[in-house]
Amino acid sequence: MKFLYDDESFSFEALRAAGYAVHGGADLGEVLVTCRQIPEGDEEAWSAQWAATAARIERIGRDALAGGHRVSAREALLRASNYYRTADFYRRENPAADAESARLARASRQTFADAAALLDTPARALRIPYEDTTLPGYLFLADDSGTPRPTVLFHGGYDSTLEEDYFALAAGALRRGYNVIAFDGPGQGSTVREQGLHFRPDWEAVVTPVVDFALAVPEVDAERLVLIGMSLGGYLAARAAAFEHRLVACVLYDGVYDFHEVVAASADRAASTPGGMEALMAQNTMVRWVVRNGRWTLGASGIDELVKAAEAYTMAGVADRITCPTLVLEAENDQFFKGQPQRLLAELTCEKELISFREDEGAGEHCHEGAMLLFHQRTFDWLDTLLAR
């Protein structure tokens, strides 16, 4: 689905930012006026213009808060958080040494934290024990009654952040009476930037401590614990569910069978491009971003090391270990994992279902960006039905 840009990556990321408007993460006019100042493929302009919009909206939020306007402050700060995240998206050439990237990431986290405290039921910031450190998270509650409720454990994927998790899933879950524990695992958000943690393929080592933590939270119904993973999280959550059997259900948003194939395809494409990978990266925004982000989040020094590191990220020989009912989602036009949800579904031996999202219903993009309400309707209707049994 083309949205504002011919550049496939710019189009997708603009749609992603705009799509969160349904849960307060954007206002369409703000997205349009920001994008019209950004030329095709100009990553510097992308960062600068989104950062300027974010700062302007943050000022609205700060002024509203100072004036005692709680709702106005919350709304503006939520939008600012999403815009700061968007401003930082392409700053991946050397993010560890990029002061502006660090500033934008901090601003996204802080504006969200300030907004989360202003929710009708304020979110609780978490530090979840993990090995010799902790993982950042939020506990979002449907209300303040203290009643144990079905609870979703939710994490993102290759590039998502804890703060984005609210717009992508938590807001829709809360409306339906679910509590949510959202968290960043190794390689995600502040864990890679501030703790030096990189992705690991054995994601059960991440989810099991989160399950342990969740079971000690009074508002969590221990018999109705659901795991949902977004984007590359569709592999990560599937891998975790294969070994962590205290889950009542798993949702793969979307299904991922083999991450290595995606990375290797870029390497193969570079091999047939005059000038190799550097030339391909100069020509293609999507490939450039995938490689740069992978080097950072997987701790790889170059494309060969990145391809090698990705080999372990496969559900081959593992999928049949999942025992809980599993919902696999797929997007018709998925530019990263097209065809992989069906391959994963074929190897599942648990109770399973596939839901396909089509282009002609406005939901065919990766992770159904631009169709959050439809995605939530189908996903939570499936969960509601399952949990009612």
Side-chain angles (χ1 to χ4, degrees):
M1 179 192 303
K2 178 182 175 180
F3 184 70
L4 303 180
Y5 293 100
D6 293 322
D7 184 290
E8 183 181 24
S9 183
F10 269 37
S11 173
F12 178 79
E13 293 308 323
L15 180 64
R16 178 179 178 179
Y20 293 144
V22 297
H23 293 130
D27 216 357
L28 185 56
E30 293 166 357
V31 172
L32 294 175
V33 298
T34 302
C35 287
R36 75 184 184 192
Q37 299 176 79
I38 303 172
E40 289 276 356
D42 189 333
E43 293 178 4
E44 291 186 9
W46 178 280
S47 183
Q49 293 301 328
W50 279 110
T53 296
R56 177 171 63 83
I57 304 306
E58 181 183 1
R59 286 193 296 272
I60 293 172
R62 300 298 178 198
D63 290 346
L65 190 59
H69 307 296
R70 179 188 179 98
V71 173
S72 297
R74 178 181 68 208
E75 290 178 347
L77 292 171
L78 285 174
R79 302 199 310 278
S81 177
N82 183 34
Y83 298 158
Y84 278 124
R85 178 199 61 79
T86 305
D88 181 49
F89 183 80
Y90 290 109
R91 304 189 71 94
R92 290 298 176 267
E93 184 171 8
N94 186 13
D98 185 340
E100 177 65 358
S101 178
R103 183 190 75 82
L104 294 169
R106 284 195 305 270
S108 181
R109 291 196 301 272
Q110 188 60 59
T111 48
F112 184 84
D114 294 342
L118 301 173
L119 294 172
D120 292 338
T121 301
R124 299 180 197 167
L126 307 174
R127 298 301 308 189
I128 301 171
Y130 166 73
E131 295 191 341
D132 58 353
T133 184
T134 60
L135 301 175
Y138 276 106
L139 172 61
F140 299 101
L141 297 173
D143 58 36
D144 59 3
S145 67
T147 303
R149 293 183 178 276
T151 300
V152 172
L153 308 180
F154 181 59
H155 60 73
Y158 195 55
D159 64 285
S160 48
T161 66
L162 172 60
E163 295 72 33
E164 184 185 15
D165 291 351
Y166 174 77
F167 307 114
L169 187 110
L174 293 170
R175 293 179 182 181
R176 292 165 170 84
Y178 291 81
N179 293 332
V180 178
I181 293 177
F183 65 96
D184 273 342
Q188 299 172 328
S190 64
T191 69
V192 62
R193 187 182 295 276
E194 297 185 356
Q195 297 170 262
L197 300 177
H198 297 113
F199 278 116
R200 56 187 298 172
D202 56 339
W203 202 250
E204 66 275 13
V206 179
V207 168
T208 288
V210 178
V211 172
D212 292 340
F213 180 90
L215 294 178
V217 175
E219 294 89 350
V220 171
D221 182 341
E223 301 301 318
R224 294 186 290 175
L225 205 58
V226 178
L227 177 63
I228 303 180
M230 175 174 65
S231 192
L232 180 60
Y235 159 77
L236 300 171
R239 167 73 195 211
F243 296 92
E244 171 53 70
H245 297 299
R246 291 173 290 179
L247 305 167
V248 72
C250 182
V251 179
L252 309 178
Y253 158 42
D254 291 347
V256 177
Y257 183 77
D258 193 319
F259 176 55
H260 173 256
E261 292 182 2
V262 176
V263 180
S266 292
D268 291 344
R269 185 175 174 185
S272 61
T273 300
M277 179 56 76
E278 290 304 316
L280 180 60
M281 289 173 63
Q283 299 164 12
N284 189 292
T285 307
M286 187 77 75
V287 171
R288 182 167 62 248
W289 175 82
V290 166
V291 172
R292 286 177 172 175
N293 193 68
R295 289 191 307 220
W296 188 42
T297 59
L298 276 81
S301 61
I303 185 61
D304 291 340
E305 191 172 323
L306 180 59
V307 171
K308 182 67 177 176
E311 287 181 355
Y313 293 75
T314 178
M315 289 302 294
V318 178
D320 61 357
R321 297 190 182 196
I322 299 175
T323 58
C324 65
T326 299
L327 176 64
V328 181
L329 307 181
E330 72 162 347
E332 182 179 3
N333 291 339
D334 197 312
Q335 64 268 52
F336 299 107
F337 302 110
K338 189 174 181 65
Q340 293 208 16
Q342 296 95 328
R343 293 172 62 192
L344 177 58
L345 188 82
E347 294 199 15
L348 293 176
T349 57
C350 59
E351 179 182 342
K352 59 188 177 180
E353 185 170 340
L354 177 73
I355 298 180
S356 300
F357 291 80
R358 305 190 313 274
E359 169 71 10
D360 64 10
E361 59 188 3
E365 295 302 300
H366 177 65
C367 286
H368 325 297
E369 300 297 356
M372 290 292 100
L373 296 180
L374 184 63
F375 153 56
H376 288 168
Q377 175 257 309
R378 290 176 175 168
T379 298
F380 287 107
D381 287 0
W382 181 86
L383 273 176
D384 289 347
T385 302
L386 178 73
L387 297 182
R389 292 191 334 219

